[in-house]
Amino acid sequence: MISQVFILSSQGDHLIYKDFRGEAGSDVVSVFYEKVTALTGDQPPVVMSHGDLHFVHVRQGGLYWVATTTSPGSSPFTIIEFLNRFSALVKDYCGSLSEKSVQMNFALIYELLDEVVDYGYIQTTSSDVLKNFIQTEAVSSKPFSLFDLSNVGFFGAETQQSKVAPSSAASRPIQSSREQGGRSEIFLDVIERMSVVIGSKGVVLKADVEGEVRVKCFMPSCSEMRIGLNEEFSIGKSQLRGYGAAVRVDECRFHQNVHLDEFHSNRVLRLCPSQGEQTVMQYQLSDDLPSAPPFRLFPTIERDSGGRYSPRVHAAINVCATIPVPKGSVSLSQELSSPDQSAELKLQNRAIDWKIPRFIGGTQLSALFKLEVSGLSPSSLMEVGPVVLVFELPQLTVSGLQIRFLRLSPVQPAPSQRWIRYVTHSDSYILRL
Amino acid sequence: MPYLGSEDAVRELRRALSNPNVQSDQLRYRNTVLKAIRAMSQGVDVSDLFSEMVKACATVDIVQKKLVYVFLCSYATLNPELSLLVINTLRKDCQDPNPMVRSLALRNMTNLRLPSLVEYVEQPLAAGLRDRAACVRRVAVLGWAKLHNLQPDAEIDAAVVNELYGLLRDPDPVVMVNCLRALEEILKKEGGVAINKPITHHLLNRLKESDVWGQCEVLRILQRYHPQSEDELFDILSLLDASLVSPHPPVMAATLGLFLGLCSGLPAVSLAALERVRGPLLAACGSTSRETRFTALCHIQLLLRSLPGLMGAHYKRFFCGYAEPAYIKQRKMQVLVELVNDENVAMLLDELKGYCTDVNPETAQAAISAIGRIGRSYSDRCLEILTGLLGLKQEHITSAVVQTMCDLVWVCPQCSDTVCSALEGCEEMLQDSQGRQALLWLLAAYGERVSSAPYTLEGFIDRVRSEASLGVKMELLTTTMRLFLCRPSETQDMLGRLLHYCIEEEMDMCVRDQALLYYRLLHCGIEETHKVLHGQRSDPSLGVLIGRPAEPINQWAYSFNTLEPLRQAGVETEPASRGSPEHVTFDPKPNTDLSDTLNCSQIEKVNLAGSDGASGFTCSSAKVLAPLSLSLSPALSPEEFEHLWMQRHAEQGAEKLEEEEEDYVCLEERIQFPAIPPCSPQSLQAAMQLVNIQTLAFTPPHTLPWRVYLYTHTHHAHYGSTLVIGELLYIGEASRRVAAVKKGMEDGDVVEGEQEAGLSGRALVRKDGREEEVEVTLKQQPRDDNALKGFLSILTTVLHTLSSESS
């Protein structure tokens, strides 16, 4: 049971404070902030105590979401899951999660909290139930964007871009669809996170993929949705059917509202999505990736250093390679292969950040970094590496999972738009040198 | 955060709220209320606006109503009289045709937290319990709990309680769960809601209707239920099986908690449940939310205490991600250390080595100490990495490496050569006091092997005036004294200087007293000094404890799924205060499994008696097992062994008692050792050799009876050395129920011994013969009970370690 819930900005400003049980005063908010900022790096901050009161908090969107409880027997899983779910609800209702959006929509958030928790007991977090109770309209802050202007073609002509949903299309309040009427949209995202360790000889030491299929629904009412996955999709090691291109995952979990009666025969998921965002399916895959890892590195380290990358996929965007360097590094000189890349030496992190805004598939990029290191010793080379890559691969899933179709039934009367997006992120992509 | 002009702002707001023009315009009115609430949540004191807000409450605009209620509930306790005015509006709203308005009014009526209003609230609450709309019933049910907590001393209304019990059958699952919650609070004094068989089965059958939160609540409350028969228990367990692998971590954790509670008498079932949750827990470890990851990791550490092999095959899932915060990385490393085995050690060390150069010094130090812990089993590889790290010449890394080596050498004396050669040249890199303390301790223990030791010490002594750390000064005194004992000519001069400084100039009492103590000790002569100062350099018997025997689940089940595991600094972390390992207190965990063979207090007693007269200088850890050390020399050939064994055997068989044979003892013991069949001769031999016990002959694995012959020499500081030869015998399933401790002592009191054997033979026939036992026959010459018992405890530990590893 939860005693209080409050939201703090990263500077410690009080954004939301609600006391459910009257067991402690509002002064604990400042106590919490003092405690959390005084922690040293290795102390786990998730649970902290102040007298009889226990603070449990999560960080989402740069904010502290804190719940306090007086009973040490409370389940940490439940409280943390609740705080995450609550922040997801706020994100659904306000469109995005930031200090500004929380500040602007505080009335809405109080209303949400009132319905979600009563007397410290979680009542419901389902957006289907909540939509009947929430009356306040969200205030969304629209930053001025050139993209809106570019949609207006010369002489009112349709431009190419209007056929593509802007990337920000999914970050808007779910309830605004009510007045906009026609904009009933569904986004189906397949998001995979890779954590890979590649050894110095190019051997893949570890490769994990955590994937999820997320639905974000802006339709006021949607009776049923059918999602078709690849037919050759299989779960577990024993189920491999046929040869070759099977899409295999180790473990797979579904949202409790998903009907799986057609899953075993046709790999079709049926569900009635509620408004807002929900994770329909989660899966994970360890070690046996169907394709080679997307990036490889061919480093040559001498007393002068250099390296090449070669990706094997379509294209990657926002690639950033972080290369740890020896402690005494003083300055960096670089030779990069194209002008839009950049590299800089971050002395504080003891690393070079090499930023590549666009990386075209199948190509190799090379860079030569020369470091001036004071007090270089032979063992300084131990400090070089491992290289960490951060990237985003749009339109690609490492596991090979594809959505065959997305059907709504009965067919919606209003024109509805369905978007399917794939993206692979690097959770932790480590290349040892 | 009150900002400038807050009083003006409040005045402005009041004017606006009481302005009739504003009041007539719905939108403007609402916005003004909104402004007041905004000021409130920013920390401005707007309690003065209470009466205006009470007026604003009477409106048809639901949004405005909700806003006003937020305000009223925050300030009602400051204005009890004015709050009375609100009650009227609220009671009117309770009659509203719109269920949303009814539930809103009811909720806020009970949220005002004013005992004076209770009489007005009871009637609408009672009506609320019978409302058509579920959302009103939900609020009304919890309302009774709030009411009860407002007046905890008031008598409990039996009619309400009955009605709440009746509402457990409500079609709405949230109402049902809220009833449980409310009854739990109202009946707190009676121990909470009554959980009997019909209620339990009703709740279990409706579990699927509730959402995640409801399920967790129900599962938590059901922990109080005790099934009446084993059949019922298993029915419940099979009903819950699906929740055990739920994709929602809260449900999974709550179900496992319930499982562990219900199966506390059935360890095998609990272990199977732990296996079941492995998948969901691992998935939670890879969750996008780092807080969920952390929680899952902490709970995995709990599970590993009972089932060390649980995550063995999945060690790669605990490799640290690049962007993870330091506290998660440290937990992962703690788990990795537990998972190390022959197959993955190379991979694991490679991974850990990468963390040692992390930018974050805490992560780097944690990685280094993790390598040190693995070094207790795989010392060569780890020492190679550690000495390699010294080459980096970085302060925090060098310090951590020296501290780790210091800990490592204490349990693995065979590492000392490598460590000694690595120590040269470290002292310039050591800046922090803990690192320097560790270096000094190593110099004290192995000073005669480090050629530069006196020069290092000289440097320390020259700088002692500017030394700030008390610990370093104390350690420096001890080190100089001990080095003086083995290398007097080189250190005499500096010892004199140090003692002079400490006695004449040092301001700290502790340092001064210790210096005085040493000074007077030296007056007693070198022999006496040696006796006092000659401490233990290592304690190999601690080393085998790293693979602790699996703990019974009951030891941690109570803290499962509570905040407890998240607050602890970790299950098996190194103590924060480092320095010499002698000062690290180590208490051997009383293990219930061991109790019928040997109990720990007994060992301690024996050893305390044994160390009588010996130096009382080293403290508890050293004391417990210090006096006894094992060695393999002089080696015993198989022929000699056979001769000795058969000779003793024959004598025993003939029951020929000779008074002269007092120096000989034969002891039979049983040790629980469930892992005999899978235990390979190689691993047994390796484990035994680690503690200097030589195995001579084996029967091949999987044959019955299974026998091992072994020998060792025990050395004792005062009672000399003895030879122990022994046999481990495992006869198989058939005879495992007989467990007797027989002591055949050939020294006169054999009659008593026989009686004892007869008694214990009867007493120890165990009903649950689950654990398999191995029979140990030991023969010792000359006789030394203390040494024999010490030896037996070491042997027991080794066998337990083996069995926990292979299971």
Side-chain angles (χ1 to χ4, degrees), chain B residues 49-87:
Chain B
L49 298 176
F50 201 85
S51 53
E52 281 78 16
M53 284 303 220
V54 170
K55 271 179 228 144
C57 177
T59 167
V60 285
D61 181 9
I62 293 192
V63 175
Q64 183 175 336
K65 234 186 224 309
K66 286 188 175 181
L67 286 172
V68 174
Y69 287 153
V70 170
F71 179 93
L72 294 182
C73 289
S74 318
Y75 289 113
T77 38
L78 301 176
N79 298 294
E81 291 85 25
L82 282 172
S83 305
L84 211 60
L85 300 175
V86 194
I87 279 290

Short mmCIF file of all heavy atoms in Angstrom, two decimals, chain B residues 49-87:
data_model
loop_
_atom_site.label_atom_id
_atom_site.label_comp_id
_atom_site.label_asym_id
_atom_site.label_seq_id
_atom_site.Cartn_x
_atom_site.Cartn_y
_atom_site.Cartn_z
N LEU B 49 -7.86 30.66 0.86
CA LEU B 49 -8.92 30.68 -0.15
C LEU B 49 -10.03 29.68 0.16
O LEU B 49 -10.93 29.47 -0.65
CB LEU B 49 -8.35 30.34 -1.53
CG LEU B 49 -7.30 31.31 -2.07
CD1 LEU B 49 -6.75 30.80 -3.38
CD2 LEU B 49 -7.91 32.68 -2.26
N PHE B 50 -9.95 29.03 1.32
CA PHE B 50 -10.83 27.89 1.58
C PHE B 50 -12.31 28.23 1.39
O PHE B 50 -13.04 27.51 0.70
CB PHE B 50 -10.59 27.38 3.01
CG PHE B 50 -11.05 25.98 3.23
CD1 PHE B 50 -10.22 24.91 2.90
CD2 PHE B 50 -12.30 25.71 3.74
CE1 PHE B 50 -10.64 23.61 3.09
CE2 PHE B 50 -12.73 24.40 3.93
CZ PHE B 50 -11.89 23.35 3.61
N SER B 51 -12.75 29.36 1.97
CA SER B 51 -14.19 29.63 1.90
C SER B 51 -14.63 29.90 0.45
O SER B 51 -15.72 29.47 0.04
CB SER B 51 -14.54 30.82 2.79
OG SER B 51 -13.71 31.90 2.47
N GLU B 52 -13.77 30.55 -0.34
CA GLU B 52 -14.12 30.77 -1.75
C GLU B 52 -14.23 29.44 -2.49
O GLU B 52 -15.09 29.25 -3.33
CB GLU B 52 -13.08 31.66 -2.44
CG GLU B 52 -13.22 33.14 -2.16
CD GLU B 52 -12.68 33.51 -0.79
OE1 GLU B 52 -11.93 32.69 -0.22
OE2 GLU B 52 -13.01 34.60 -0.29
N MET B 53 -13.33 28.54 -2.13
CA MET B 53 -13.31 27.24 -2.80
C MET B 53 -14.56 26.43 -2.44
O MET B 53 -15.09 25.70 -3.27
CB MET B 53 -12.05 26.46 -2.41
CG MET B 53 -10.82 26.95 -3.11
SD MET B 53 -11.00 26.90 -4.89
CE MET B 53 -9.42 26.33 -5.36
N VAL B 54 -14.98 26.54 -1.19
CA VAL B 54 -16.19 25.83 -0.81
C VAL B 54 -17.35 26.25 -1.70
O VAL B 54 -18.15 25.43 -2.16
CB VAL B 54 -16.52 26.09 0.69
CG1 VAL B 54 -17.90 25.54 1.02
CG2 VAL B 54 -15.48 25.46 1.58
N LYS B 55 -17.40 27.55 -1.99
CA LYS B 55 -18.46 28.03 -2.88
C LYS B 55 -18.28 27.47 -4.28
O LYS B 55 -19.25 27.10 -4.95
CB LYS B 55 -18.45 29.57 -2.92
CG LYS B 55 -19.31 30.19 -1.84
CD LYS B 55 -19.21 31.70 -1.93
CE LYS B 55 -18.95 32.28 -0.56
NZ LYS B 55 -18.07 33.45 -0.60
N ALA B 56 -17.04 27.43 -4.72
CA ALA B 56 -16.78 26.97 -6.09
C ALA B 56 -17.13 25.50 -6.26
O ALA B 56 -17.26 25.00 -7.37
CB ALA B 56 -15.31 27.18 -6.42
N CYS B 57 -17.31 24.83 -5.13
CA CYS B 57 -17.59 23.40 -5.17
C CYS B 57 -18.98 23.11 -5.74
O CYS B 57 -19.19 22.09 -6.39
CB CYS B 57 -17.46 22.86 -3.75
SG CYS B 57 -17.85 21.17 -3.56
N ALA B 58 -19.91 24.04 -5.47
CA ALA B 58 -21.28 23.82 -5.94
C ALA B 58 -21.39 24.21 -7.40
O ALA B 58 -21.73 25.34 -7.74
CB ALA B 58 -22.25 24.63 -5.08
N THR B 59 -21.08 23.30 -8.27
CA THR B 59 -21.11 23.60 -9.69
C THR B 59 -21.49 22.33 -10.44
O THR B 59 -21.38 21.23 -9.91
CB THR B 59 -19.73 24.11 -10.17
OG1 THR B 59 -19.72 24.09 -11.59
CG2 THR B 59 -18.62 23.21 -9.67
N VAL B 60 -21.91 22.49 -11.66
CA VAL B 60 -22.25 21.31 -12.44
C VAL B 60 -21.05 20.83 -13.25
O VAL B 60 -21.06 19.74 -13.81
CB VAL B 60 -23.42 21.58 -13.42
CG1 VAL B 60 -24.73 21.65 -12.65
CG2 VAL B 60 -23.16 22.85 -14.20
N ASP B 61 -20.02 21.65 -13.31
CA ASP B 61 -18.83 21.31 -14.09
C ASP B 61 -17.99 20.29 -13.33
O ASP B 61 -17.42 20.60 -12.28
CB ASP B 61 -18.03 22.59 -14.34
CG ASP B 61 -16.80 22.31 -15.16
OD1 ASP B 61 -16.68 21.17 -15.66
OD2 ASP B 61 -15.96 23.21 -15.29
N ILE B 62 -17.94 19.07 -13.86
CA ILE B 62 -17.24 18.00 -13.11
C ILE B 62 -15.75 18.28 -12.98
O ILE B 62 -15.15 18.04 -11.94
CB ILE B 62 -17.48 16.64 -13.79
CG1 ILE B 62 -18.94 16.27 -13.67
CG2 ILE B 62 -16.63 15.56 -13.15
CD1 ILE B 62 -19.25 14.86 -14.03
N VAL B 63 -15.17 18.84 -14.03
CA VAL B 63 -13.74 19.11 -13.96
C VAL B 63 -13.45 20.08 -12.82
O VAL B 63 -12.53 19.88 -12.02
CB VAL B 63 -13.23 19.67 -15.30
CG1 VAL B 63 -11.78 20.06 -15.20
CG2 VAL B 63 -13.45 18.66 -16.40
N GLN B 64 -14.27 21.12 -12.73
CA GLN B 64 -14.07 22.09 -11.67
C GLN B 64 -14.27 21.44 -10.30
O GLN B 64 -13.54 21.68 -9.35
CB GLN B 64 -15.03 23.26 -11.85
CG GLN B 64 -14.81 24.34 -10.80
CD GLN B 64 -15.66 25.55 -11.04
OE1 GLN B 64 -16.08 25.83 -12.16
NE2 GLN B 64 -15.95 26.27 -9.97
N LYS B 65 -15.28 20.60 -10.22
CA LYS B 65 -15.56 19.88 -8.97
C LYS B 65 -14.33 19.09 -8.52
O LYS B 65 -13.90 19.18 -7.38
CB LYS B 65 -16.71 18.90 -9.22
CG LYS B 65 -17.88 19.06 -8.27
CD LYS B 65 -18.87 17.95 -8.55
CE LYS B 65 -20.30 18.40 -8.59
NZ LYS B 65 -20.76 19.19 -7.47
N LYS B 66 -13.77 18.37 -9.46
CA LYS B 66 -12.61 17.54 -9.12
C LYS B 66 -11.47 18.42 -8.62
O LYS B 66 -10.79 18.08 -7.64
CB LYS B 66 -12.15 16.75 -10.34
CG LYS B 66 -13.06 15.60 -10.68
CD LYS B 66 -12.46 14.74 -11.77
CE LYS B 66 -13.33 13.53 -12.03
NZ LYS B 66 -12.77 12.65 -13.06
N LEU B 67 -11.26 19.54 -9.32
CA LEU B 67 -10.18 20.42 -8.91
C LEU B 67 -10.41 20.95 -7.50
O LEU B 67 -9.49 20.97 -6.68
CB LEU B 67 -10.09 21.60 -9.89
CG LEU B 67 -9.49 21.27 -11.24
CD1 LEU B 67 -9.62 22.45 -12.18
CD2 LEU B 67 -8.03 20.90 -11.09
N VAL B 68 -11.63 21.35 -7.23
CA VAL B 68 -11.93 21.91 -5.92
C VAL B 68 -11.72 20.85 -4.84
O VAL B 68 -11.18 21.13 -3.77
CB VAL B 68 -13.36 22.46 -5.88
CG1 VAL B 68 -13.71 22.92 -4.48
CG2 VAL B 68 -13.50 23.61 -6.84
N TYR B 69 -12.11 19.62 -5.14
CA TYR B 69 -11.95 18.56 -4.16
C TYR B 69 -10.48 18.33 -3.83
O TYR B 69 -10.12 18.07 -2.68
CB TYR B 69 -12.58 17.25 -4.65
CG TYR B 69 -14.08 17.27 -4.62
CD1 TYR B 69 -14.83 16.49 -5.51
CD2 TYR B 69 -14.77 18.06 -3.71
CE1 TYR B 69 -16.21 16.50 -5.48
CE2 TYR B 69 -16.15 18.08 -3.69
CZ TYR B 69 -16.88 17.31 -4.58
OH TYR B 69 -18.23 17.34 -4.55
N VAL B 70 -9.62 18.42 -4.85
CA VAL B 70 -8.18 18.30 -4.59
C VAL B 70 -7.76 19.33 -3.56
O VAL B 70 -7.05 19.03 -2.59
CB VAL B 70 -7.38 18.48 -5.90
CG1 VAL B 70 -5.89 18.60 -5.58
CG2 VAL B 70 -7.62 17.32 -6.83
N PHE B 71 -8.26 20.54 -3.75
CA PHE B 71 -7.93 21.63 -2.83
C PHE B 71 -8.49 21.35 -1.43
O PHE B 71 -7.79 21.43 -0.43
CB PHE B 71 -8.51 22.93 -3.39
CG PHE B 71 -8.25 24.12 -2.52
CD1 PHE B 71 -7.15 24.92 -2.75
CD2 PHE B 71 -9.10 24.44 -1.48
CE1 PHE B 71 -6.90 26.02 -1.96
CE2 PHE B 71 -8.84 25.54 -0.68
CZ PHE B 71 -7.74 26.33 -0.92
N LEU B 72 -9.77 21.00 -1.40
CA LEU B 72 -10.43 20.83 -0.10
C LEU B 72 -9.78 19.74 0.72
O LEU B 72 -9.59 19.87 1.93
CB LEU B 72 -11.91 20.53 -0.31
CG LEU B 72 -12.73 21.67 -0.91
CD1 LEU B 72 -14.19 21.27 -1.03
CD2 LEU B 72 -12.58 22.94 -0.09
N CYS B 73 -9.44 18.62 0.07
CA CYS B 73 -8.86 17.51 0.81
C CYS B 73 -7.50 17.87 1.39
O CYS B 73 -7.11 17.35 2.42
CB CYS B 73 -8.73 16.27 -0.07
SG CYS B 73 -10.32 15.56 -0.44
N SER B 74 -6.78 18.77 0.71
CA SER B 74 -5.47 19.13 1.25
C SER B 74 -5.58 20.03 2.45
O SER B 74 -4.72 20.00 3.32
CB SER B 74 -4.63 19.85 0.18
OG SER B 74 -4.78 19.22 -1.03
N TYR B 75 -6.62 20.88 2.49
CA TYR B 75 -6.67 21.89 3.54
C TYR B 75 -7.77 21.67 4.57
O TYR B 75 -7.93 22.48 5.48
CB TYR B 75 -6.81 23.29 2.93
CG TYR B 75 -5.55 23.73 2.22
CD1 TYR B 75 -5.51 23.89 0.86
CD2 TYR B 75 -4.39 23.98 2.96
CE1 TYR B 75 -4.36 24.29 0.21
CE2 TYR B 75 -3.23 24.38 2.32
CZ TYR B 75 -3.21 24.54 0.95
OH TYR B 75 -2.06 24.92 0.34
N ALA B 76 -8.55 20.58 4.44
CA ALA B 76 -9.69 20.39 5.33
C ALA B 76 -9.28 20.33 6.79
O ALA B 76 -9.94 20.90 7.65
CB ALA B 76 -10.44 19.12 4.95
N THR B 77 -8.15 19.68 7.07
CA THR B 77 -7.76 19.53 8.48
C THR B 77 -7.45 20.86 9.12
O THR B 77 -7.51 21.00 10.34
CB THR B 77 -6.53 18.60 8.59
OG1 THR B 77 -5.67 18.87 7.48
CG2 THR B 77 -6.93 17.15 8.58
N LEU B 78 -7.11 21.89 8.30
CA LEU B 78 -6.82 23.21 8.87
C LEU B 78 -8.12 23.99 9.14
O LEU B 78 -8.13 24.91 9.94
CB LEU B 78 -5.94 24.02 7.91
CG LEU B 78 -4.59 23.40 7.57
CD1 LEU B 78 -3.86 24.24 6.54
CD2 LEU B 78 -3.75 23.28 8.83
N ASN B 79 -9.19 23.64 8.47
CA ASN B 79 -10.45 24.38 8.60
C ASN B 79 -11.63 23.45 8.89
O ASN B 79 -12.52 23.32 8.06
CB ASN B 79 -10.77 25.14 7.30
CG ASN B 79 -9.71 26.18 6.98
OD1 ASN B 79 -9.55 27.15 7.69
ND2 ASN B 79 -8.99 25.93 5.91
N PRO B 80 -11.63 22.79 10.04
CA PRO B 80 -12.70 21.82 10.28
C PRO B 80 -14.10 22.44 10.23
O PRO B 80 -15.04 21.81 9.73
CB PRO B 80 -12.40 21.27 11.66
CG PRO B 80 -11.16 21.89 12.13
CD PRO B 80 -10.70 22.87 11.15
N GLU B 81 -14.24 23.71 10.72
CA GLU B 81 -15.59 24.30 10.77
C GLU B 81 -16.12 24.54 9.37
O GLU B 81 -17.26 24.18 9.04
CB GLU B 81 -15.60 25.61 11.55
CG GLU B 81 -15.34 25.46 13.03
CD GLU B 81 -13.85 25.42 13.32
OE1 GLU B 81 -13.06 25.96 12.52
OE2 GLU B 81 -13.46 24.82 14.35
N LEU B 82 -15.28 25.18 8.55
CA LEU B 82 -15.72 25.49 7.20
C LEU B 82 -16.02 24.22 6.40
O LEU B 82 -16.87 24.21 5.52
CB LEU B 82 -14.67 26.32 6.47
CG LEU B 82 -14.62 27.80 6.86
CD1 LEU B 82 -13.41 28.47 6.23
CD2 LEU B 82 -15.89 28.49 6.40
N SER B 83 -15.31 23.15 6.75
CA SER B 83 -15.51 21.91 6.00
C SER B 83 -16.92 21.39 6.15
O SER B 83 -17.44 20.69 5.29
CB SER B 83 -14.53 20.85 6.48
OG SER B 83 -13.23 21.32 6.40
N LEU B 84 -17.52 21.76 7.28
CA LEU B 84 -18.90 21.32 7.50
C LEU B 84 -19.81 21.79 6.37
O LEU B 84 -20.78 21.13 6.01
CB LEU B 84 -19.37 21.88 8.84
CG LEU B 84 -20.39 21.03 9.59
CD1 LEU B 84 -19.81 19.67 9.89
CD2 LEU B 84 -20.79 21.74 10.88
N LEU B 85 -19.45 22.96 5.81
CA LEU B 85 -20.27 23.51 4.72
C LEU B 85 -20.20 22.63 3.47
O LEU B 85 -21.12 22.58 2.68
CB LEU B 85 -19.79 24.91 4.37
CG LEU B 85 -19.85 25.94 5.50
CD1 LEU B 85 -19.22 27.24 5.06
CD2 LEU B 85 -21.29 26.17 5.92
N VAL B 86 -19.06 22.00 3.30
CA VAL B 86 -18.88 21.19 2.09
C VAL B 86 -19.76 19.96 2.14
O VAL B 86 -20.26 19.48 1.12
CB VAL B 86 -17.41 20.75 1.94
CG1 VAL B 86 -17.15 20.24 0.56
CG2 VAL B 86 -16.49 21.90 2.29
N ILE B 87 -19.91 19.43 3.37
CA ILE B 87 -20.60 18.16 3.53
C ILE B 87 -21.97 18.19 2.86
O ILE B 87 -22.39 17.22 2.21
CB ILE B 87 -20.74 17.84 5.04
CG1 ILE B 87 -19.43 17.24 5.53
CG2 ILE B 87 -21.85 16.87 5.30
CD1 ILE B 87 -19.15 15.86 5.00
#
